[in-house]
Amino acid sequence: LESLGCALPNGAGRVVWSRVENASRRCKQWKQICDVLLPGLRARGHLHHLIHRDQSCVHCLVVQGEDVVAGCTMRLFEKVGRIQICADVLLMACEQRGGVCGSGLATLVVNQVKGMLKKQRPGQLVSVLTQSDDGIQATCFWKRQGLVASKGAAEAVQQLHRMNPSKNLVYNDVLPM
């Protein structure tokens, strides 16, 4: 996955891919961002588990200098309905400071995920799935990324849950997109 990383325009940093097995300072920094911005997921060590322990998770992180400033954590699934490969985005966050938040880094991460999926399955149907919080900011962001709340997204979430109910949770107060 590391080979899929890329430099950002104007020297703004780089995108790196990471797995749990090479957990490092980057994963710790990513968790610190998520602790602040996604406090509802800290209950019962859920964030820690997704970032540091769950071997099925992959992280796409934006690094500026030596610091992680944005990223996402996802699981990759093959053969979800008609979809050949699906990225189920579990966490998405961007540091809330000037020059980072609102600068397009979260969009860059989503585009990296989409590009990675297309490289993995050229010419095949690929998909990004998320259970977005139902707030206006989150739903608007995901709509700009081309995701829409749909019956198909809800069915995909349920199908993943049926495959492994303890790992693929269905969250409350979310909008499957």
Side-chain angles (χ1 to χ4, degrees), residues 25-166:
R25 182 177 46 81
R26 288 181 185 150
C27 287
K28 290 176 185 173
Q29 290 175 340
W30 173 230
K31 183 174 180 300
Q32 289 172 341
I33 291 169
C34 292
D35 278 340
V36 171
L37 298 175
L38 305 169
L41 294 177
R42 290 192 333 227
R44 296 185 309 260
H46 190 57
L47 277 177
H48 179 82
H49 177 75
L50 291 175
I51 294 172
H52 292 292
R53 298 202 182 273
D54 190 331
Q55 298 293 317
S56 66
C57 287
V58 176
H59 314 296
C60 179
L61 306 173
V62 177
V63 178
Q64 290 181 340
E66 294 299 316
D67 299 324
V68 172
V69 295
C72 77
T73 295
M74 72 195 100
R75 288 192 185 114
L76 300 174
F77 294 94
E78 295 191 59
K79 306 281 188 195
V80 179
R82 298 183 351 256
I83 307 297
Q84 293 301 307
I85 188 169
C86 174
D88 182 14
V89 177
L90 304 167
L91 308 171
M92 169 68 79
C94 187
E95 221 178 67
Q96 301 295 295
R97 63 178 168 90
V100 175
C101 183
S103 64
L105 293 179
T107 297
L108 174 93
V109 169
V110 173
N111 289 338
Q112 286 288 308
V113 170
K114 290 176 181 177
M116 181 270 302
L117 292 174
K118 289 176 184 173
K119 282 182 182 178
Q120 296 292 316
R121 298 292 187 276
Q124 295 182 0
L125 188 57
V126 299
S127 179
V128 175
L129 175 70
T130 192
Q131 293 183 64
S132 174
D133 92 32
D134 58 1
I136 189 81
Q137 188 175 3
T139 55
C140 286
F141 169 78
W142 286 110
K143 284 179 183 176
R144 286 192 307 272
Q145 307 313 309
L147 276 69
V148 293
S150 67
K151 182 179 177 183
E155 288 171 356
V157 167
Q158 291 297 327
Q159 181 179 352
L160 293 175
H161 179 70
R162 284 190 300 274
M163 287 169 43
N164 188 338
S166 64

